[in-house]
Amino acid sequence: MTVNIHTHKHGGGQQDARAQQNRGTQTDEQNHEVKRSLEAEITAGHVLQAGSGIGGSTCVIAPLITLALHQRSLLPLVTVSVYSKYYPAVYVFRVGLISCGVLYWLSGIMIRRQTEFWWLCLVMGVGLQGLSAVSPSENNSVHVAFAAIYFVGGATFLTGIAIEAYRACRSKMFHPLFKREVKPQHVFRVFWTVCVFCWCCVLGVILEVLGVFGKHSETQVAYFELSGLVCLIYSFWYIGSIVDA
């Protein structure tokens, strides 16, 4: 009788051990599925759109804080960074654009196998972080240099997207950068248009600084800056909806 009891206990212990092992295996499988699900959900497109959303919101919220606190009037129109150089708006401006720059870095790394122009996202990220970290009142030359890096890098990246779309049109084959349902012909037309517009804004700022349009005016620079900024933010949001990475 005693032997049977010990045998039963020993058999029950083995069953418990197997049950615990099965539960551990199921937990590992569930954790693996959750990890795979997260990897599948977070794409370069989502990161690009998040960066565009944060950057665009920052460029609206920071100047509104300055205007709401009556630290500066809306007119005459000036650049976003000038509106945002006052405290506490400068904190929002810096945190928002530095975060946007980090997201551009991440998106560039995520699409590095799909396009040779991925490194331009890193350039744009550096430009955004630099122009937000150094305000015009602190060192205007450094601020303008970083702003130039951002706008030239952005216009060049849009040109790169147009080139990739042109290659896809010429080869008539699936391009790894774009989703399968995306039409390369449409992407080509859109991005050649926006990249030409952005380059015109960059050229306009250069000509304005050189005095081609008369006496230098911060308002004239603001027109070109705001136009190029809206174009870049919209373009990167759109890129986020068509990339497959």
Side-chain angles (χ1 to χ4, degrees):
M1 184 66 180
T2 304
V3 175
N4 291 336
I5 292 174
H6 284 299
T7 304
H8 176 71
K9 288 182 179 180
H10 181 67
Q14 289 180 339
Q15 291 178 356
D16 292 340
R18 282 195 295 268
Q20 291 178 356
Q21 184 178 4
N22 291 335
R23 285 195 296 270
T25 303
Q26 291 176 355
T27 302
D28 292 339
E29 291 177 352
Q30 291 174 352
N31 291 336
H32 184 64
E33 288 296 327
V34 170
K35 183 178 179 181
R36 289 179 60 186
S37 176
L38 289 174
E39 289 176 350
E41 290 176 0
I42 301 175
T43 65
H46 294 148
V47 176
L48 270 173
Q49 290 185 327
S52 298
I54 292 173
S57 301
T58 300
C59 292
V60 173
I61 294 172
L64 286 178
I65 293 174
T66 298
L67 297 176
L69 296 177
H70 304 288
Q71 294 172 318
R72 187 182 182 93
S73 61
L74 177 62
L75 299 175
L77 193 68
V78 292
T79 59
V80 175
S81 54
V82 173
Y83 283 118
S84 306
K85 69 179 182 179
Y86 303 95
Y87 295 92
V90 68
Y91 297 127
V92 176
F93 188 68
R94 287 173 176 170
V95 171
L97 292 192
I98 288 174
S99 301
C100 180
V102 171
L103 292 175
Y104 281 165
W105 283 359
L106 180 59
S107 63
I109 293 171
M110 294 175 73
I111 63 173
R112 68 188 184 280
R113 296 182 180 178
Q114 283 78 19
T115 176
E116 62 189 279
F117 301 104
W118 65 273
W119 58 274
L120 289 167
C121 292
L122 309 185
V123 174
M124 290 186 299
V126 171
L128 272 178
Q129 293 171 336
L131 71 87
S132 62
V134 182
S135 66
S137 58
E138 294 172 338
N139 192 322
N140 190 57
S141 298
V142 174
H143 175 81
V144 170
F146 278 115
I149 290 172
Y150 168 67
F151 281 103
V152 172
T156 307
F157 183 70
L158 296 183
T159 306
I161 297 294
I163 292 172
E164 296 287 15
Y166 176 74
R167 290 172 179 171
C169 294
R170 288 289 301 273
S171 64
K172 296 181 180 180
M173 295 177 62
F174 168 71
H175 195 288
L177 180 63
F178 306 122
K179 295 178 180 178
R180 292 186 178 273
E181 63 270 19
V182 172
K183 296 180 180 180
Q185 296 85 353
H186 176 70
V187 176
F188 174 71
R189 289 192 296 267
V190 169
F191 281 96
W192 271 118
T193 302
V194 295
C195 75
V196 168
F197 181 80
C198 282
W199 281 116
C200 287
C201 292
V202 172
L203 180 61
V205 172
I206 295 174
L207 295 177
E208 202 284 330
V209 172
L210 293 176
V212 175
F213 304 126
K215 186 179 179 180
H216 174 67
S217 170
E218 187 74 19
T219 300
Q220 290 179 350
V221 174
Y223 290 144
F224 290 115
E225 182 211 51
L226 292 173
S227 300
L229 190 61
V230 170
C231 182
L232 285 175
I233 291 174
Y234 167 76
S235 298
F236 285 110
W237 180 273
Y238 180 66
I239 292 171
S241 67
I242 63 174
V243 296
D244 187 20

